[in-house]
Amino acid sequence: MKRIPLLLLSLVALSVSVLAQNAKPFVIPELKSWTGGKGTYLVTPQTVLSAAPELHALSHDFCGQLESVLGTPLMMTDDAAIGGIRLELTTDDLLTDANEAYRILISPEGVRVEGGSVRSLRWGCQTVLQLLEQNRSLPCGTIVDEPEYAVRGFMLDVGRKFFDLDFIRSTLAMMSYYKMNVLHIHLNDNGFKQFYGDDWDKTYAAFRLESERYPGLTAKDGHYTKEEFRALQKEANERYGVTIVPEIDVPAHSLSFAHYMPELGSDKYGKDHLDLFNPKTYEVLDNLFDEYLSGDDPVFVNQYVHIGTDEYSNKDQKVVEQFRAFTDHYIHKVEEYGKRAAVWGSLTHARGKTPVKVDDVLMYCWSKDYSLTSDMINIGYDVIAIPDNWTYIVPAAGYYYDYLNIGALYNQWTPAVATANEVFEERHPQIKGGMFAVWNDHCGNGISAQDVFHRMYPATQTMATKMWVGKNTTIPFEVFDAKRKNISATPVGNLLGLPKGLLPGVIARVESPKVGTLGLPMEDIGYNYRVSFDLKAGKNKRGTRLFSSRNSIVYLSDPESGRLGYERDGYRYTFDYTVPVNKEVRIAIEGTNRSTSLYVDGKLQQTLAIISHPEDKHLDRPRFWVQTLVFPLAKLEPFEGTLRNLRVDYLGE
C-alpha cells in the first residue's frame, strides 16, 4: 500500500516535467519539428551575433534585420565561444542545400542556427527574427525545419503595371521573410482593347526591359535597364535567397511587339498575337533572346527562363500545330544558352501532332481548359501548381480574387490540389511546387503599388505556409489568422505603414509640427487610419504640397484645380473642397483599402470610393477606378499658413 503514494508522486512529477516543456512557438510557415526545452533565452542589447568570416554577408544582413526588429544594434564577431546568437554552416547530411533544411538550438546560454548552405541558414535567421518580433524572450528547445515543396513562388505582372526596383526589393524581402524562394517577373503584356475603343493601336501595352537591339520596344513609362535587372537577380540570390525567373510572354499577350513593329501582329487572331507564319517574328525573338542570354554575364542570370506560350488562339488546327512548333522552337532556343525553359501550360488547349519537348521543361498548370494537370503529368512534364481558381489575384477587376481567400487556401489547398481541383499525392515527384500570382489586367485603373502589396501580404503568409508545410498544419485557421497579424510583412521597412500587431490606437500626436522631416514612427500610415490637424492657410499657389513621402503627396492646393487632393503612382485625385484662406479648419482624412474620406470641422465633406472608371461610362462592364491613399507622413512641406495639433490614429482592420 505504501507504493501507491510513491507512484502517484512519480506521475505528478512526470506531469509537471512534461508541462514544463516549452510549447511550439508560432512562426510562418509553421515549424515542421519542435522539441520543447525548459526556460528561455532573453535577447538584449548586450547579445552578440557571431559567424565565421565566410558568412559575413549573411550575418551583416541579419544584424541589420535584428536592429530593425529589436530597435538596437548588436555587436558582431567571428568568435564562436562568446555565446549569444551563432550562425554555423554544417556538413550534417540532414541539413543540405537541396532540402533547404535548418536547425535552431535555443538554450539559456544562447541560440545556435545551423544549415548546410547560406540559403538554409537564411531561413533559420528568418525564424529567429519572427520569434523576436513577437517576444524578446525565446523559448528553449530545438527546431528542425524543411519544406515540403522545392518551389514556393509568386508571380508579379509588371507588364500592365510598372513597379520600381524599391517595390521589387520589398517583395523580395517579404518573400524571404516567409521562406518563399522563386519570384517570377512577367515582363510584358497589354490591356484589353474594349477599354481603348476596340483599337489595338490605342490599347495599352508595355515591354519592361531595356533592349539595345530593338530600342523602340522598351516601354517609355517605366522599364528596367539591362544592368539593373542583371544586378537585381544577383541581389535576390545573394541577399534574399530568392531566384528570379524572368518571362518574355510570347506569342500571345504580345501587343508591345506589334506596336513597335506592326508586321509582327496577327491580322487573323488579333494584334496581341504574334504572326506565327511570319519569318520576321522568329528573327526578332531569336535576336531578343540572344541579347538577354548570350555572353559570359548574361542579362538573365538564373537557370530558368520563362517563354510564355499562354492563351494563343486554337481556332483552327493549322495554327495549333504552328503554335506547338513555336513553343518547341523557343524551348530549344533557351537551351542553346545552357538554360532551361519554363512555359505556361497550353497543351490541353492546343492538342496536336507537332512534338513539343518535355524533358527538363517546367510547366505552369493554371487552367483546366489550357493545361489540365493530369494531362501534363501523363505527358511527362514537371509542373508548378498555380490554379487560377485558387491563386489568382486581379486587383479591383471584379473577377478572380481581389484578395485571396486565405481561409479556404489554409484549410483545403496545397500544391497537390491542381487545376480542376484534381488532388494528387502530396510531394508528387512531378509537382515541384506552387505559386500565387498578381495579374494587373485592368491597366490604368488607379490601383497603387501599396494597394497591390496590401493584397500580397496575407497571401504570402498563407501560401508560404501551405507550400512549406503542405497538409501538416496543426494550427486552426482562426488561430493562424489572429497570430499572423503579429508578424510584419518585412523585418526591415514598412511599405504598408502598418503598426506592429495591427493594434488600434494613437500612432502620433504633434502639437506644433515643424516643416521638414516629421520623424514619426512611420513614413506612411496604412489602412485603416485617420489623420487630423488644425489648418490655417494663407494664399498658396496651385501645386502647394502639405504632406509627402517617397510614395505619395497630399496637396493643400492641387496643381490643376487648387483644391485639397493627393497623388500617388502617377494618379491624382481631388476632393470637392478648397481650403479657405486665413480661416482655421479642422481637417481629418480617413483611408481604407476601398476609399478615402475628407472631414471638415467634424462633418463628412466627401468620400472618394472605388467607382466605375470615368473613361468607361459607355461600357456595360467598365473598369473600376480606385481612389485609395496610404497617407504620407515623412515630411511636412513648406506652405503659407500654420498646421497644429497633428494626430495620427490607426483604426484597426
Side-chain angles (χ1 to χ4, degrees):
M1 295 293 293
K2 292 182 179 178
R3 292 185 178 182
I4 294 176
L6 291 173
L7 178 59
L8 288 174
L9 286 171
S10 297
L11 289 172
V12 170
L14 179 61
S15 298
V16 170
S17 175
V18 170
L19 290 173
Q21 306 300 312
N22 290 321
K24 182 167 76 171
F26 180 84
V27 297
I28 301 173
E30 181 181 345
L31 299 174
K32 296 283 287 296
S33 173
W34 164 259
T35 303
K38 298 179 182 180
T40 60
Y41 176 73
L42 180 64
V43 178
T44 72
Q46 287 70 48
T47 299
V48 175
L49 172 64
S50 67
E54 62 266 25
L55 295 174
H56 273 187
L58 174 62
S59 60
H60 184 271
D61 284 343
F62 186 37
C63 196
Q65 293 172 322
L66 285 166
E67 181 176 354
S68 179
V69 169
L70 299 171
T72 184
L74 299 186
M75 188 178 81
M76 294 176 60
T77 181
D78 298 343
D79 189 349
I82 288 181
I85 301 173
R86 175 69 179 175
L87 308 183
E88 192 76 48
L89 281 173
T90 177
T91 56
D92 190 323
D93 290 342
L94 296 177
L95 309 178
T96 69
D97 186 39
N99 65 16
E100 299 180 73
Y102 67 92
R103 181 189 294 120
I104 302 176
L105 301 97
I106 307 171
S107 72
E109 289 72 43
V111 179
R112 184 182 179 90
V113 183
E114 300 177 343
S117 68
V118 172
R119 181 172 60 171
S120 300
L121 278 173
R122 180 176 284 106
W123 301 152
C125 292
Q126 306 312 298
T127 293
V128 172
L129 286 166
Q130 288 191 20
L131 291 172
L132 288 171
E133 193 175 355
Q134 299 170 83
N135 197 323
R136 303 287 179 86
S137 187
L138 302 180
C140 292
T142 300
I143 296 165
V144 181
D145 207 10
E146 67 174 289
E148 290 287 288
Y149 290 92
V151 176
R152 305 175 304 281
F154 165 61
M155 192 231 71
L156 182 63
D157 171 8
V158 306
R160 288 176 283 203
K161 177 173 175 57
F162 181 67
F163 297 91
D164 64 24
L165 291 172
D166 285 342
F167 182 92
I168 301 294
R169 290 190 182 97
S170 293
T171 298
L172 291 167
M174 180 166 65
M175 293 178 68
S176 184
Y177 200 33
Y178 293 104
K179 306 182 182 77
M180 293 179 69
N181 61 359
V182 176
L183 174 60
H184 174 160
I185 300 182
H186 182 79
L187 285 166
N188 65 288
D189 216 314
N190 48 267
F192 301 146
K193 70 184 178 81
Q194 64 262 34
F195 299 128
Y196 301 89
D198 281 320
D199 187 339
W200 285 121
D201 290 338
K202 296 178 181 178
T203 300
Y204 185 83
F207 185 90
R208 299 297 186 189
L209 190 56
E210 174 193 19
S211 172
E212 293 176 287
R213 297 187 186 182
Y214 301 105
L217 178 64
T218 303
K220 294 180 174 59
D221 65 340
H223 69 271
Y224 315 110
T225 69
K226 291 194 291 185
E227 185 50 45
E228 284 173 340
F229 198 71
R230 182 189 290 111
L232 178 70
Q233 294 163 86
K234 293 178 180 179
E235 182 182 1
N237 292 337
E238 296 163 7
R239 189 172 184 186
Y240 300 102
V242 178
T243 300
I244 290 177
V245 175
E247 178 192 357
I248 297 176
D249 198 359
V250 288
H253 298 270
S254 303
L255 184 60
S256 54
F257 289 89
H259 279 180
Y260 169 62
M261 197 174 290
E263 64 268 29
L264 299 184
S266 172
D267 293 324
K268 187 172 183 180
Y269 303 110
K271 291 296 184 180
D272 61 339
H273 285 49
L274 296 180
D275 185 349
L276 299 184
F277 300 95
N278 183 349
K280 188 72 173 179
T281 296
Y282 298 87
E283 176 190 329
V284 170
L285 293 181
D286 285 359
N287 284 333
L288 198 64
F289 278 110
D290 183 73
E291 181 175 1
Y292 299 139
L293 293 174
S294 62
D296 295 332
D297 189 18
V299 177
F300 291 168
V301 170
N302 297 310
Q303 180 184 37
Y304 278 99
V305 175
H306 202 296
I307 62 171
T309 70
D310 188 23
E311 294 188 295
Y312 201 90
S313 174
N314 68 346
K315 285 183 179 180
D316 61 70
Q317 196 58 35
K318 182 180 178 182
V319 77
V320 166
E321 299 297 345
Q322 191 63 25
F323 169 81
R324 293 173 65 89
F326 176 97
T327 302
D328 187 69
H329 173 83
Y330 283 102
I331 290 171
H332 284 93
K333 176 60 65 177
V334 163
E335 291 178 343
E336 288 177 12
Y337 299 90
K339 305 293 187 180
R340 289 186 176 182
V343 298
W344 289 109
S346 290
L347 298 187
T348 298
H349 177 72
R351 297 182 188 274
K353 297 179 180 179
T354 303
V356 179
K357 189 174 189 289
V358 173
D359 293 343
D360 298 323
V361 177
L362 189 61
M363 178 171 285
Y364 289 36
C365 289
W366 68 278
S367 164
K368 63 182 177 63
D369 297 322
Y370 282 85
S371 55
L372 189 65
T373 305
S374 55
D375 283 355
M376 300 303 106
I377 285 177
N378 289 338
I379 292 171
Y381 283 103
D382 288 338
V383 303
I384 297 296
I386 184 170
D388 56 353
N389 60 316
W390 288 98
T391 67
Y392 272 23
I393 295 172
V394 185
Y399 57 87
Y400 285 127
Y401 290 104
D402 193 21
Y403 289 78
L404 289 186
N405 185 340
I406 63 172
L409 282 163
Y410 188 88
N411 288 324
Q412 302 171 38
W413 188 82
T414 76
V417 181
T419 54
N421 290 334
E422 296 179 300
V423 180
F424 295 84
E425 63 185 272
E426 290 294 323
R427 303 186 75 165
H428 187 290
Q430 288 172 255
I431 299 177
K432 299 305 179 183
M435 288 191 177
F436 76 98
V438 169
W439 294 102
N440 297 294
D441 290 12
H442 287 186
C443 311
N445 68 350
I447 202 82
S448 74
Q450 288 167 297
D451 286 329
V452 172
F453 206 79
H454 195 261
R455 288 154 171 78
M456 290 160 52
Y457 173 35
T460 296
Q461 292 178 312
T462 307
M463 292 290 289
T465 297
K466 299 304 293 183
M467 293 184 289
W468 185 277
V469 185
K471 292 180 68 175
N472 301 319
T473 51
T474 64
I475 302 168
F477 173 72
E478 293 72 21
V479 176
F480 169 84
D481 193 37
K483 289 190 173 184
R484 71 173 180 83
K485 299 167 187 175
N486 294 321
I487 304 177
S488 303
T490 61
V492 178
N494 190 358
L495 183 61
L496 294 176
L498 296 176
K500 298 286 186 183
L502 306 185
L503 295 176
V506 180
I507 301 298
R509 285 193 183 98
V510 186
E511 184 176 341
S512 300
K514 293 182 170 56
V515 168
T517 302
L518 285 169
L520 301 183
M522 296 179 290
E523 292 191 351
D524 304 89
I525 181 68
Y527 315 130
N528 301 318
Y529 67 81
R530 180 182 179 92
V531 176
S532 54
F533 46 89
D534 296 320
L535 178 64
K536 185 176 182 180
K539 292 184 178 180
N540 288 276
K541 64 181 180 181
R542 291 185 179 184
T544 298
R545 301 178 176 191
L546 199 56
F547 294 97
S548 68
S549 73
R550 70 187 69 187
N551 300 304
S552 55
I553 300 163
V554 171
Y555 286 105
L556 170 63
S557 174
D558 98 282
E560 292 185 3
S561 67
R563 293 178 295 188
L564 191 68
Y566 54 94
E567 182 177 329
R568 81 291 184 283
D569 278 48
Y571 299 102
R572 188 180 300 148
Y573 308 86
T574 56
F575 293 107
D576 187 16
Y577 178 75
T578 302
V579 177
V581 175
N582 296 326
K583 177 186 175 183
E584 187 169 79
V585 290
R586 183 69 180 173
I587 299 290
I589 295 176
E590 292 187 0
T592 76
N593 66 335
R594 304 286 301 175
S595 64
T596 311
S597 298
L598 171 66
Y599 294 81
V600 179
D601 292 331
K603 296 181 180 179
L604 178 64
Q605 180 74 24
Q606 188 180 9
T607 294
L608 301 180
I610 298 177
I611 60 174
S612 295
H613 199 293
E615 296 177 4
D616 296 347
K617 293 179 180 179
H618 61 291
L619 298 176
D620 293 334
R621 298 183 64 182
R623 288 169 292 174
F624 290 108
W625 180 241
V626 180
Q627 303 183 93
T628 52
L629 172 69
V630 171
F631 198 97
L633 291 167
K635 291 182 180 179
L636 178 63
E637 299 282 358
F639 69 99
E640 293 295 325
T642 60
L643 188 148
R644 305 184 301 113
N645 300 323
L646 172 65
R647 174 170 168 160
V648 181
D649 290 88
Y650 179 68
L651 306 178
E653 290 190 309

